[in-house]
Amino acid sequence: MDYNAVPTPEACYADFCLIPVGTGNVSVAEEVAQVQRVLEASGLKYTLHSAGTTVEGSWDDVMAAIGKAHAVVHQRGVVRVQSSMRVGSRTDKKQTAEDKVKRVEDLLGNKS
Amino acid sequence: MDYNAVPTPEACYADFCLIPVGTGNVSVAEEVAQVQRVLEASGLKYTLHSAGTTVEGSWDDVMAAIGKAHAVVHQRGVVRVQSSMRVGSRTDKKQTAEDKVKRVEDLLGNKS
Amino acid sequence: MDYNAVPTPEACYADFCLIPVGTGNVSVAEEVAQVQRVLEASGLKYTLHSAGTTVEGSWDDVMAAIGKAHAVVHQRGVVRVQSSMRVGSRTDKKQTAEDKVKRVEDLLGNKS
Amino acid sequence: MDYNAVPTPEACYADFCLIPVGTGNVSVAEEVAQVQRVLEASGLKYTLHSAGTTVEGSWDDVMAAIGKAHAVVHQRGVVRVQSSMRVGSRTDKKQTAEDKVKRVEDLLGNKS
């Protein structure tokens, strides 16, 4: 198989938490706000929650946006940036972030 | 230093996404619902979002709850369970999940 | 079901990467070394790699060791500590870290 | 700032663990072997360990390789694929995977 000819997934979600390292500042809120501005500029759908941000789109667009987020935080003078990510792709159907939460809530409503 | 005498943190948050492996079922909603029931029974504060669940409390309570979530999914017949987690602890102040999101939104409201 | 009576898993592995936040120091090597000392004192099996440390044992022992690692880094004056973790448990068999790598290497040797 | 004009980082590392979901097979070794083949074809430097694989290179190359890994596993018939990732970038210096481990081992040798 020619692995390099394989296209990256057309759709995925990535949930990520970006941490600036070595800033001397315990708060990361400034950097998280900056990340939201990068995502806003990307045109992708994203949602902030208390432990990260979920962004949805094609693999290449999502990863470019998160890479730009690293780069923008570097431009602010942070020399080291670390992200923890969860990334999912599926080929059977499109499922939005809202669908996933609703599915679980329906199960809990019916059975708990 | 006697490392074993060191107590685990009094407060932390853990954001986790539990995946049942080898079930033959593409949907993980049943297992996620089960996890919410374990967390409800734990008495800890938790929030479901589309890419995981955030739970707050003492280190030992939070980790016991997530361990019981693995165990309950095993009891349903899933032989392998994998979780991705982000865990944070801080000693300077208590900051709730809501505080964290509000802090970023305030910054965006003022500056964007 | 009495969820609180469910025991946590007897065996698991956790692969984690601990990041001190707000230290003003780009290097995290001092903290990572400290984490190795906590793990050594725990008596658990662990392996350092370039992107984290893998530790194996019962759920409670593994999570207590990682919690103590957070606490020891806090004791050094770091007010905020963040870890990214992957945790796996299985009930069908015991598989060591070496077994997992060997399994993949065997497949690659036979087929690649 | 024109966020979309910001380039992604020239260098990064990503440590990732890819999980096929809904396969009915408890073992993930076949898929992990497949991922190694994709990485080999990418020409990037990578290292397999028991809890994941670390790959190094430019942000775009690294993310394209991991995206192709998802796609190849989908091509094998797995409809859902989930990865947990840790990604780091820094602008102050290049540090290889080996450097990072050596730095910690030196500290432990000197001080433990």
PDB file of all heavy atoms in Angstrom, chain C residues 15 17 26-27 29-30 33 37 49-51 84 86 90 97 100 103 107-108 111, chain D residues 15 17 26-27 30 33 37 49-51 84 86 90 97 100 103 107-108 111:
ATOM      1  N   ASP C  15       0.102   5.504  31.871  1.00  0.00           N
ATOM      2  CA  ASP C  15       1.212   6.218  31.248  1.00  0.00           C
ATOM      3  C   ASP C  15       0.936   7.696  31.451  1.00  0.00           C
ATOM      4  O   ASP C  15      -0.110   8.191  31.019  1.00  0.00           O
ATOM      5  CB  ASP C  15       1.272   5.896  29.749  1.00  0.00           C
ATOM      6  CG  ASP C  15       2.476   6.550  29.098  1.00  0.00           C
ATOM      7  OD1 ASP C  15       3.597   6.118  29.391  1.00  0.00           O
ATOM      8  OD2 ASP C  15       2.294   7.512  28.329  1.00  0.00           O
ATOM      9  N   CYS C  17       2.334  11.973  31.958  1.00  0.00           N
ATOM     10  CA  CYS C  17       3.296  13.044  31.737  1.00  0.00           C
ATOM     11  C   CYS C  17       2.876  14.189  32.648  1.00  0.00           C
ATOM     12  O   CYS C  17       1.772  14.720  32.501  1.00  0.00           O
ATOM     13  CB  CYS C  17       3.235  13.467  30.272  1.00  0.00           C
ATOM     14  SG  CYS C  17       4.157  14.954  29.907  1.00  0.00           S
ATOM     15  N   VAL C  26      11.698  26.634  31.941  1.00  0.00           N
ATOM     16  CA  VAL C  26      11.265  25.889  30.756  1.00  0.00           C
ATOM     17  C   VAL C  26      11.521  24.391  30.912  1.00  0.00           C
ATOM     18  O   VAL C  26      10.765  23.560  30.422  1.00  0.00           O
ATOM     19  CB  VAL C  26      11.980  26.423  29.489  1.00  0.00           C
ATOM     20  CG1 VAL C  26      11.682  25.542  28.293  1.00  0.00           C
ATOM     21  CG2 VAL C  26      11.535  27.852  29.215  1.00  0.00           C
ATOM     22  N   SER C  27      12.593  24.058  31.627  1.00  0.00           N
ATOM     23  CA  SER C  27      12.905  22.640  31.801  1.00  0.00           C
ATOM     24  C   SER C  27      12.000  22.011  32.851  1.00  0.00           C
ATOM     25  O   SER C  27      11.697  22.619  33.877  1.00  0.00           O
ATOM     26  CB  SER C  27      14.352  22.469  32.240  1.00  0.00           C
ATOM     27  OG  SER C  27      14.571  21.119  32.604  1.00  0.00           O
ATOM     28  N   ALA C  29      12.816  18.787  33.755  1.00  0.00           N
ATOM     29  CA  ALA C  29      13.603  17.590  34.096  1.00  0.00           C
ATOM     30  C   ALA C  29      13.723  17.375  35.608  1.00  0.00           C
ATOM     31  O   ALA C  29      13.661  16.242  36.084  1.00  0.00           O
ATOM     32  CB  ALA C  29      14.987  17.675  33.449  1.00  0.00           C
ATOM     33  N   GLU C  30      13.863  18.468  36.370  1.00  0.00           N
ATOM     34  CA  GLU C  30      13.961  18.323  37.836  1.00  0.00           C
ATOM     35  C   GLU C  30      12.703  17.654  38.392  1.00  0.00           C
ATOM     36  O   GLU C  30      12.771  16.763  39.227  1.00  0.00           O
ATOM     37  CB  GLU C  30      14.108  19.703  38.512  1.00  0.00           C
ATOM     38  CG  GLU C  30      15.470  20.351  38.360  1.00  0.00           C
ATOM     39  CD  GLU C  30      16.498  19.805  39.353  1.00  0.00           C
ATOM     40  OE1 GLU C  30      16.137  18.956  40.208  1.00  0.00           O
ATOM     41  OE2 GLU C  30      17.672  20.211  39.245  1.00  0.00           O
ATOM     42  N   ALA C  33      12.501  14.003  37.392  1.00  0.00           N
ATOM     43  CA  ALA C  33      13.398  13.199  38.240  1.00  0.00           C
ATOM     44  C   ALA C  33      12.741  12.937  39.596  1.00  0.00           C
ATOM     45  O   ALA C  33      12.780  11.820  40.136  1.00  0.00           O
ATOM     46  CB  ALA C  33      14.737  13.914  38.413  1.00  0.00           C
ATOM     47  N   ARG C  37      11.634   9.338  41.623  1.00  0.00           N
ATOM     48  CA  ARG C  37      11.957   8.953  43.014  1.00  0.00           C
ATOM     49  C   ARG C  37      10.709   8.506  43.759  1.00  0.00           C
ATOM     50  O   ARG C  37      10.753   7.556  44.540  1.00  0.00           O
ATOM     51  CB  ARG C  37      12.601  10.139  43.744  1.00  0.00           C
ATOM     52  CG  ARG C  37      13.985  10.457  43.239  1.00  0.00           C
ATOM     53  CD  ARG C  37      14.684  11.501  44.110  1.00  0.00           C
ATOM     54  NE  ARG C  37      15.880  11.953  43.423  1.00  0.00           N
ATOM     55  CZ  ARG C  37      16.003  13.153  42.814  1.00  0.00           C
ATOM     56  NH1 ARG C  37      15.008  14.026  42.846  1.00  0.00           N
ATOM     57  NH2 ARG C  37      17.130  13.453  42.199  1.00  0.00           N
ATOM     58  N   HIS C  49      10.022   7.011  29.558  1.00  0.00           N
ATOM     59  CA  HIS C  49      10.341   7.189  28.138  1.00  0.00           C
ATOM     60  C   HIS C  49      10.329   8.674  27.844  1.00  0.00           C
ATOM     61  O   HIS C  49      10.105   9.484  28.762  1.00  0.00           O
ATOM     62  CB  HIS C  49       9.402   6.376  27.230  1.00  0.00           C
ATOM     63  CG  HIS C  49       7.958   6.698  27.386  1.00  0.00           C
ATOM     64  ND1 HIS C  49       7.346   7.684  26.671  1.00  0.00           N
ATOM     65  CD2 HIS C  49       7.017   6.188  28.197  1.00  0.00           C
ATOM     66  CE1 HIS C  49       6.072   7.753  27.020  1.00  0.00           C
ATOM     67  NE2 HIS C  49       5.841   6.854  27.950  1.00  0.00           N
ATOM     68  N   SER C  50      10.587   9.045  26.601  1.00  0.00           N
ATOM     69  CA  SER C  50      10.825  10.466  26.338  1.00  0.00           C
ATOM     70  C   SER C  50       9.569  11.326  26.440  1.00  0.00           C
ATOM     71  O   SER C  50       9.650  12.541  26.536  1.00  0.00           O
ATOM     72  CB  SER C  50      11.453  10.653  24.958  1.00  0.00           C
ATOM     73  OG  SER C  50      10.505  10.405  23.947  1.00  0.00           O
ATOM     74  N   ALA C  51       8.400  10.715  26.446  1.00  0.00           N
ATOM     75  CA  ALA C  51       7.152  11.488  26.496  1.00  0.00           C
ATOM     76  C   ALA C  51       6.300  11.149  27.713  1.00  0.00           C
ATOM     77  O   ALA C  51       5.123  11.490  27.755  1.00  0.00           O
ATOM     78  CB  ALA C  51       6.350  11.271  25.216  1.00  0.00           C
ATOM     79  N   SER C  84      -1.188  14.540  32.072  1.00  0.00           N
ATOM     80  CA  SER C  84      -1.936  13.864  31.032  1.00  0.00           C
ATOM     81  C   SER C  84      -1.680  12.370  31.228  1.00  0.00           C
ATOM     82  O   SER C  84      -0.546  11.955  31.410  1.00  0.00           O
ATOM     83  CB  SER C  84      -1.406  14.357  29.684  1.00  0.00           C
ATOM     84  OG  SER C  84      -1.543  13.376  28.702  1.00  0.00           O
ATOM     85  N   ARG C  86      -2.838   8.130  30.244  1.00  0.00           N
ATOM     86  CA  ARG C  86      -3.588   7.058  29.573  1.00  0.00           C
ATOM     87  C   ARG C  86      -3.626   5.897  30.551  1.00  0.00           C
ATOM     88  O   ARG C  86      -2.566   5.512  31.066  1.00  0.00           O
ATOM     89  CB  ARG C  86      -2.860   6.604  28.299  1.00  0.00           C
ATOM     90  CG  ARG C  86      -2.797   7.643  27.223  1.00  0.00           C
ATOM     91  CD  ARG C  86      -2.450   7.018  25.881  1.00  0.00           C
ATOM     92  NE  ARG C  86      -1.017   7.020  25.634  1.00  0.00           N
ATOM     93  CZ  ARG C  86      -0.364   8.002  25.030  1.00  0.00           C
ATOM     94  NH1 ARG C  86      -0.990   9.092  24.634  1.00  0.00           N
ATOM     95  NH2 ARG C  86       0.916   7.907  24.809  1.00  0.00           N
ATOM     96  N   ARG C  90      -7.620  -4.528  32.017  1.00  0.00           N
ATOM     97  CA  ARG C  90      -8.242  -5.626  31.293  1.00  0.00           C
ATOM     98  C   ARG C  90      -8.416  -6.806  32.234  1.00  0.00           C
ATOM     99  O   ARG C  90      -7.644  -6.986  33.179  1.00  0.00           O
ATOM    100  CB  ARG C  90      -7.442  -6.003  30.039  1.00  0.00           C
ATOM    101  CG  ARG C  90      -6.012  -6.401  30.259  1.00  0.00           C
ATOM    102  CD  ARG C  90      -5.230  -6.405  28.939  1.00  0.00           C
ATOM    103  NE  ARG C  90      -5.806  -7.326  27.983  1.00  0.00           N
ATOM    104  CZ  ARG C  90      -5.377  -7.475  26.732  1.00  0.00           C
ATOM    105  NH1 ARG C  90      -4.350  -6.757  26.305  1.00  0.00           N
ATOM    106  NH2 ARG C  90      -5.946  -8.337  25.912  1.00  0.00           N
ATOM    107  N   ALA C  97       4.220  -4.631  29.933  1.00  0.00           N
ATOM    108  CA  ALA C  97       4.654  -3.614  28.978  1.00  0.00           C
ATOM    109  C   ALA C  97       5.513  -4.252  27.880  1.00  0.00           C
ATOM    110  O   ALA C  97       5.340  -3.987  26.693  1.00  0.00           O
ATOM    111  CB  ALA C  97       5.430  -2.523  29.717  1.00  0.00           C
ATOM    112  N   LYS C 100       3.525  -6.232  25.258  1.00  0.00           N
ATOM    113  CA  LYS C 100       2.785  -5.425  24.282  1.00  0.00           C
ATOM    114  C   LYS C 100       3.689  -4.986  23.136  1.00  0.00           C
ATOM    115  O   LYS C 100       3.306  -5.062  21.959  1.00  0.00           O
ATOM    116  CB  LYS C 100       2.169  -4.199  24.974  1.00  0.00           C
ATOM    117  CG  LYS C 100       0.999  -4.577  25.862  1.00  0.00           C
ATOM    118  CD  LYS C 100       0.084  -3.403  26.103  1.00  0.00           C
ATOM    119  CE  LYS C 100       0.581  -2.561  27.258  1.00  0.00           C
ATOM    120  NZ  LYS C 100      -0.385  -1.505  27.622  1.00  0.00           N
ATOM    121  N   ARG C 103       4.653  -8.096  20.941  1.00  0.00           N
ATOM    122  CA  ARG C 103       3.534  -8.521  20.081  1.00  0.00           C
ATOM    123  C   ARG C 103       3.527  -7.739  18.756  1.00  0.00           C
ATOM    124  O   ARG C 103       3.392  -8.310  17.678  1.00  0.00           O
ATOM    125  CB  ARG C 103       2.258  -8.257  20.895  1.00  0.00           C
ATOM    126  CG  ARG C 103       0.946  -8.758  20.461  1.00  0.00           C
ATOM    127  CD  ARG C 103       0.623 -10.184  20.586  1.00  0.00           C
ATOM    128  NE  ARG C 103       0.001 -10.556  19.321  1.00  0.00           N
ATOM    129  CZ  ARG C 103      -1.261 -10.304  18.987  1.00  0.00           C
ATOM    130  NH1 ARG C 103      -2.101  -9.789  19.868  1.00  0.00           N
ATOM    131  NH2 ARG C 103      -1.722 -10.618  17.800  1.00  0.00           N
ATOM    132  N   LEU C 107       4.549  -8.937  14.820  1.00  0.00           N
ATOM    133  CA  LEU C 107       3.684  -8.716  13.647  1.00  0.00           C
ATOM    134  C   LEU C 107       4.442  -8.009  12.532  1.00  0.00           C
ATOM    135  O   LEU C 107       4.301  -8.341  11.358  1.00  0.00           O
ATOM    136  CB  LEU C 107       2.462  -7.874  14.039  1.00  0.00           C
ATOM    137  CG  LEU C 107       1.375  -8.585  14.844  1.00  0.00           C
ATOM    138  CD1 LEU C 107       0.353  -7.569  15.342  1.00  0.00           C
ATOM    139  CD2 LEU C 107       0.685  -9.647  13.997  1.00  0.00           C
ATOM    140  N   LEU C 108       5.243  -7.035  12.910  1.00  0.00           N
ATOM    141  CA  LEU C 108       5.989  -6.285  11.891  1.00  0.00           C
ATOM    142  C   LEU C 108       7.066  -7.152  11.257  1.00  0.00           C
ATOM    143  O   LEU C 108       7.306  -7.089  10.056  1.00  0.00           O
ATOM    144  CB  LEU C 108       6.605  -5.039  12.509  1.00  0.00           C
ATOM    145  CG  LEU C 108       5.581  -3.971  12.896  1.00  0.00           C
ATOM    146  CD1 LEU C 108       6.241  -2.892  13.731  1.00  0.00           C
ATOM    147  CD2 LEU C 108       4.942  -3.363  11.653  1.00  0.00           C
ATOM    148  N   LYS C 111       5.325  -9.573   8.769  1.00  0.00           N
ATOM    149  CA  LYS C 111       4.502  -9.108   7.665  1.00  0.00           C
ATOM    150  C   LYS C 111       5.046  -7.910   6.913  1.00  0.00           C
ATOM    151  O   LYS C 111       4.583  -7.613   5.843  1.00  0.00           O
ATOM    152  CB  LYS C 111       3.124  -8.718   8.198  1.00  0.00           C
ATOM    153  CG  LYS C 111       2.377  -9.893   8.782  1.00  0.00           C
ATOM    154  CD  LYS C 111       0.941  -9.512   9.017  1.00  0.00           C
ATOM    155  CE  LYS C 111       0.179 -10.674   9.641  1.00  0.00           C
ATOM    156  NZ  LYS C 111      -1.186 -10.296   9.943  1.00  0.00           N
TER     157      LYS C 111
ATOM    158  N   ASP D  15       3.209  12.209  21.100  1.00  0.00           N
ATOM    159  CA  ASP D  15       3.165  10.842  21.624  1.00  0.00           C
ATOM    160  C   ASP D  15       1.704  10.422  21.584  1.00  0.00           C
ATOM    161  O   ASP D  15       0.852  11.082  22.178  1.00  0.00           O
ATOM    162  CB  ASP D  15       3.679  10.820  23.069  1.00  0.00           C
ATOM    163  CG  ASP D  15       3.717   9.401  23.607  1.00  0.00           C
ATOM    164  OD1 ASP D  15       4.575   8.635  23.143  1.00  0.00           O
ATOM    165  OD2 ASP D  15       2.879   9.055  24.463  1.00  0.00           O
ATOM    166  N   CYS D  17      -1.508   7.253  21.229  1.00  0.00           N
ATOM    167  CA  CYS D  17      -1.989   5.886  21.401  1.00  0.00           C
ATOM    168  C   CYS D  17      -3.303   5.808  20.646  1.00  0.00           C
ATOM    169  O   CYS D  17      -4.256   6.521  20.976  1.00  0.00           O
ATOM    170  CB  CYS D  17      -2.196   5.629  22.892  1.00  0.00           C
ATOM    171  SG  CYS D  17      -3.060   4.092  23.240  1.00  0.00           S
ATOM    172  N   VAL D  26     -10.221  -7.812  21.183  1.00  0.00           N
ATOM    173  CA  VAL D  26      -9.611  -7.172  22.355  1.00  0.00           C
ATOM    174  C   VAL D  26      -8.195  -6.700  22.048  1.00  0.00           C
ATOM    175  O   VAL D  26      -7.736  -5.688  22.567  1.00  0.00           O
ATOM    176  CB  VAL D  26      -9.601  -8.140  23.554  1.00  0.00           C
ATOM    177  CG1 VAL D  26      -8.812  -7.557  24.717  1.00  0.00           C
ATOM    178  CG2 VAL D  26     -11.026  -8.439  23.984  1.00  0.00           C
ATOM    179  N   SER D  27      -7.503  -7.422  21.192  1.00  0.00           N
ATOM    180  CA  SER D  27      -6.133  -7.030  20.867  1.00  0.00           C
ATOM    181  C   SER D  27      -6.125  -5.852  19.901  1.00  0.00           C
ATOM    182  O   SER D  27      -6.929  -5.784  18.970  1.00  0.00           O
ATOM    183  CB  SER D  27      -5.382  -8.189  20.224  1.00  0.00           C
ATOM    184  OG  SER D  27      -4.130  -7.735  19.752  1.00  0.00           O
ATOM    185  N   GLU D  30      -2.595  -5.581  15.894  1.00  0.00           N
ATOM    186  CA  GLU D  30      -2.628  -5.486  14.419  1.00  0.00           C
ATOM    187  C   GLU D  30      -2.676  -4.021  13.979  1.00  0.00           C
ATOM    188  O   GLU D  30      -1.970  -3.611  13.063  1.00  0.00           O
ATOM    189  CB  GLU D  30      -3.867  -6.204  13.856  1.00  0.00           C
ATOM    190  CG  GLU D  30      -3.801  -7.715  13.869  1.00  0.00           C
ATOM    191  CD  GLU D  30      -2.965  -8.304  12.707  1.00  0.00           C
ATOM    192  OE1 GLU D  30      -2.485  -7.538  11.854  1.00  0.00           O
ATOM    193  OE2 GLU D  30      -2.794  -9.536  12.697  1.00  0.00           O
ATOM    194  N   ALA D  33       0.584  -2.240  14.698  1.00  0.00           N
ATOM    195  CA  ALA D  33       1.583  -2.599  13.676  1.00  0.00           C
ATOM    196  C   ALA D  33       1.346  -1.789  12.403  1.00  0.00           C
ATOM    197  O   ALA D  33       2.288  -1.271  11.780  1.00  0.00           O
ATOM    198  CB  ALA D  33       1.534  -4.101  13.389  1.00  0.00           C
ATOM    199  N   ARG D  37       3.758   1.021  10.269  1.00  0.00           N
ATOM    200  CA  ARG D  37       4.062   1.010   8.824  1.00  0.00           C
ATOM    201  C   ARG D  37       3.807   2.388   8.210  1.00  0.00           C
ATOM    202  O   ARG D  37       4.554   2.849   7.352  1.00  0.00           O
ATOM    203  CB  ARG D  37       3.217  -0.042   8.109  1.00  0.00           C
ATOM    204  CG  ARG D  37       3.631  -1.460   8.464  1.00  0.00           C
ATOM    205  CD  ARG D  37       2.932  -2.506   7.588  1.00  0.00           C
ATOM    206  NE  ARG D  37       3.140  -3.833   8.159  1.00  0.00           N
ATOM    207  CZ  ARG D  37       2.228  -4.523   8.839  1.00  0.00           C
ATOM    208  NH1 ARG D  37       1.003  -4.038   9.018  1.00  0.00           N
ATOM    209  NH2 ARG D  37       2.524  -5.704   9.335  1.00  0.00           N
ATOM    210  N   HIS D  49       6.672   2.568  22.210  1.00  0.00           N
ATOM    211  CA  HIS D  49       6.844   2.095  23.592  1.00  0.00           C
ATOM    212  C   HIS D  49       5.552   1.406  24.001  1.00  0.00           C
ATOM    213  O   HIS D  49       4.619   1.303  23.194  1.00  0.00           O
ATOM    214  CB  HIS D  49       7.244   3.237  24.539  1.00  0.00           C
ATOM    215  CG  HIS D  49       6.286   4.369  24.599  1.00  0.00           C
ATOM    216  ND1 HIS D  49       5.241   4.398  25.471  1.00  0.00           N
ATOM    217  CD2 HIS D  49       6.205   5.504  23.877  1.00  0.00           C
ATOM    218  CE1 HIS D  49       4.566   5.520  25.294  1.00  0.00           C
ATOM    219  NE2 HIS D  49       5.123   6.209  24.322  1.00  0.00           N
ATOM    220  N   SER D  50       5.504   0.905  25.214  1.00  0.00           N
ATOM    221  CA  SER D  50       4.392   0.007  25.557  1.00  0.00           C
ATOM    222  C   SER D  50       3.048   0.733  25.684  1.00  0.00           C
ATOM    223  O   SER D  50       2.002   0.095  25.681  1.00  0.00           O
ATOM    224  CB  SER D  50       4.688  -0.739  26.851  1.00  0.00           C
ATOM    225  OG  SER D  50       4.618   0.140  27.956  1.00  0.00           O
ATOM    226  N   ALA D  51       3.081   2.053  25.791  1.00  0.00           N
ATOM    227  CA  ALA D  51       1.819   2.787  25.958  1.00  0.00           C
ATOM    228  C   ALA D  51       1.566   3.789  24.840  1.00  0.00           C
ATOM    229  O   ALA D  51       0.716   4.665  24.969  1.00  0.00           O
ATOM    230  CB  ALA D  51       1.803   3.497  27.312  1.00  0.00           C
ATOM    231  N   SER D  84      -5.385   9.172  21.768  1.00  0.00           N
ATOM    232  CA  SER D  84      -4.985  10.070  22.846  1.00  0.00           C
ATOM    233  C   SER D  84      -3.580  10.545  22.507  1.00  0.00           C
ATOM    234  O   SER D  84      -2.718   9.746  22.151  1.00  0.00           O
ATOM    235  CB  SER D  84      -5.006   9.275  24.151  1.00  0.00           C
ATOM    236  OG  SER D  84      -4.085   9.768  25.063  1.00  0.00           O
ATOM    237  N   ARG D  86      -0.227  13.459  23.282  1.00  0.00           N
ATOM    238  CA  ARG D  86       0.463  14.554  23.962  1.00  0.00           C
ATOM    239  C   ARG D  86       1.349  15.191  22.909  1.00  0.00           C
ATOM    240  O   ARG D  86       2.103  14.473  22.235  1.00  0.00           O
ATOM    241  CB  ARG D  86       1.369  14.030  25.081  1.00  0.00           C
ATOM    242  CG  ARG D  86       0.608  13.419  26.215  1.00  0.00           C
ATOM    243  CD  ARG D  86       1.479  13.279  27.454  1.00  0.00           C
ATOM    244  NE  ARG D  86       2.164  12.012  27.506  1.00  0.00           N
ATOM    245  CZ  ARG D  86       1.689  10.914  28.094  1.00  0.00           C
ATOM    246  NH1 ARG D  86       0.506  10.922  28.667  1.00  0.00           N
ATOM    247  NH2 ARG D  86       2.392   9.805  28.118  1.00  0.00           N
ATOM    248  N   ARG D  90       8.558  23.673  21.148  1.00  0.00           N
ATOM    249  CA  ARG D  90       9.355  24.681  21.866  1.00  0.00           C
ATOM    250  C   ARG D  90      10.202  25.439  20.858  1.00  0.00           C
ATOM    251  O   ARG D  90      10.579  24.924  19.813  1.00  0.00           O
ATOM    252  CB  ARG D  90      10.198  24.057  22.973  1.00  0.00           C
ATOM    253  CG  ARG D  90      11.140  22.963  22.544  1.00  0.00           C
ATOM    254  CD  ARG D  90      11.680  22.193  23.748  1.00  0.00           C
ATOM    255  NE  ARG D  90      12.369  23.057  24.676  1.00  0.00           N
ATOM    256  CZ  ARG D  90      12.869  22.639  25.851  1.00  0.00           C
ATOM    257  NH1 ARG D  90      12.716  21.362  26.204  1.00  0.00           N
ATOM    258  NH2 ARG D  90      13.486  23.462  26.657  1.00  0.00           N
ATOM    259  N   ALA D  97      14.276  13.111  21.681  1.00  0.00           N
ATOM    260  CA  ALA D  97      13.709  12.177  22.654  1.00  0.00           C
ATOM    261  C   ALA D  97      14.803  11.621  23.577  1.00  0.00           C
ATOM    262  O   ALA D  97      14.639  11.560  24.796  1.00  0.00           O
ATOM    263  CB  ALA D  97      12.998  11.042  21.910  1.00  0.00           C
ATOM    264  N   LYS D 100      15.966  14.085  26.270  1.00  0.00           N
ATOM    265  CA  LYS D 100      15.053  14.289  27.392  1.00  0.00           C
ATOM    266  C   LYS D 100      15.225  13.209  28.458  1.00  0.00           C
ATOM    267  O   LYS D 100      15.266  13.495  29.646  1.00  0.00           O
ATOM    268  CB  LYS D 100      13.603  14.321  26.889  1.00  0.00           C
ATOM    269  CG  LYS D 100      13.278  15.592  26.133  1.00  0.00           C
ATOM    270  CD  LYS D 100      11.797  15.871  26.110  1.00  0.00           C
ATOM    271  CE  LYS D 100      11.125  15.141  24.970  1.00  0.00           C
ATOM    272  NZ  LYS D 100       9.723  15.544  24.811  1.00  0.00           N
ATOM    273  N   ARG D 103      18.695  13.617  30.251  1.00  0.00           N
ATOM    274  CA  ARG D 103      18.688  14.726  31.202  1.00  0.00           C
ATOM    275  C   ARG D 103      18.155  14.267  32.567  1.00  0.00           C
ATOM    276  O   ARG D 103      18.721  14.562  33.622  1.00  0.00           O
ATOM    277  CB  ARG D 103      17.779  15.794  30.593  1.00  0.00           C
ATOM    278  CG  ARG D 103      17.695  17.166  31.047  1.00  0.00           C
ATOM    279  CD  ARG D 103      18.773  18.142  30.939  1.00  0.00           C
ATOM    280  NE  ARG D 103      18.940  18.738  32.250  1.00  0.00           N
ATOM    281  CZ  ARG D 103      18.201  19.718  32.741  1.00  0.00           C
ATOM    282  NH1 ARG D 103      17.310  20.302  31.998  1.00  0.00           N
ATOM    283  NH2 ARG D 103      18.382  20.140  33.979  1.00  0.00           N
ATOM    284  N   LEU D 107      20.185  13.620  36.237  1.00  0.00           N
ATOM    285  CA  LEU D 107      19.749  14.197  37.520  1.00  0.00           C
ATOM    286  C   LEU D 107      19.606  13.110  38.580  1.00  0.00           C
ATOM    287  O   LEU D 107      19.988  13.293  39.734  1.00  0.00           O
ATOM    288  CB  LEU D 107      18.399  14.906  37.353  1.00  0.00           C
ATOM    289  CG  LEU D 107      18.429  16.261  36.642  1.00  0.00           C
ATOM    290  CD1 LEU D 107      17.007  16.724  36.353  1.00  0.00           C
ATOM    291  CD2 LEU D 107      19.158  17.294  37.480  1.00  0.00           C
ATOM    292  N   LEU D 108      19.073  11.984  38.194  1.00  0.00           N
ATOM    293  CA  LEU D 108      18.877  10.898  39.157  1.00  0.00           C
ATOM    294  C   LEU D 108      20.217  10.301  39.573  1.00  0.00           C
ATOM    295  O   LEU D 108      20.428   9.972  40.729  1.00  0.00           O
ATOM    296  CB  LEU D 108      17.969   9.820  38.559  1.00  0.00           C
ATOM    297  CG  LEU D 108      16.510  10.254  38.386  1.00  0.00           C
ATOM    298  CD1 LEU D 108      15.755   9.241  37.563  1.00  0.00           C
ATOM    299  CD2 LEU D 108      15.839  10.438  39.745  1.00  0.00           C
ATOM    300  N   LYS D 111      21.892  12.820  42.012  1.00  0.00           N
ATOM    301  CA  LYS D 111      21.255  13.287  43.250  1.00  0.00           C
ATOM    302  C   LYS D 111      20.516  12.224  44.032  1.00  0.00           C
ATOM    303  O   LYS D 111      20.182  12.435  45.174  1.00  0.00           O
ATOM    304  CB  LYS D 111      20.235  14.375  42.904  1.00  0.00           C
ATOM    305  CG  LYS D 111      20.867  15.590  42.305  1.00  0.00           C
ATOM    306  CD  LYS D 111      19.861  16.702  42.279  1.00  0.00           C
ATOM    307  CE  LYS D 111      20.476  17.967  41.697  1.00  0.00           C
ATOM    308  NZ  LYS D 111      19.481  19.017  41.552  1.00  0.00           N
TER     309      LYS D 111
END
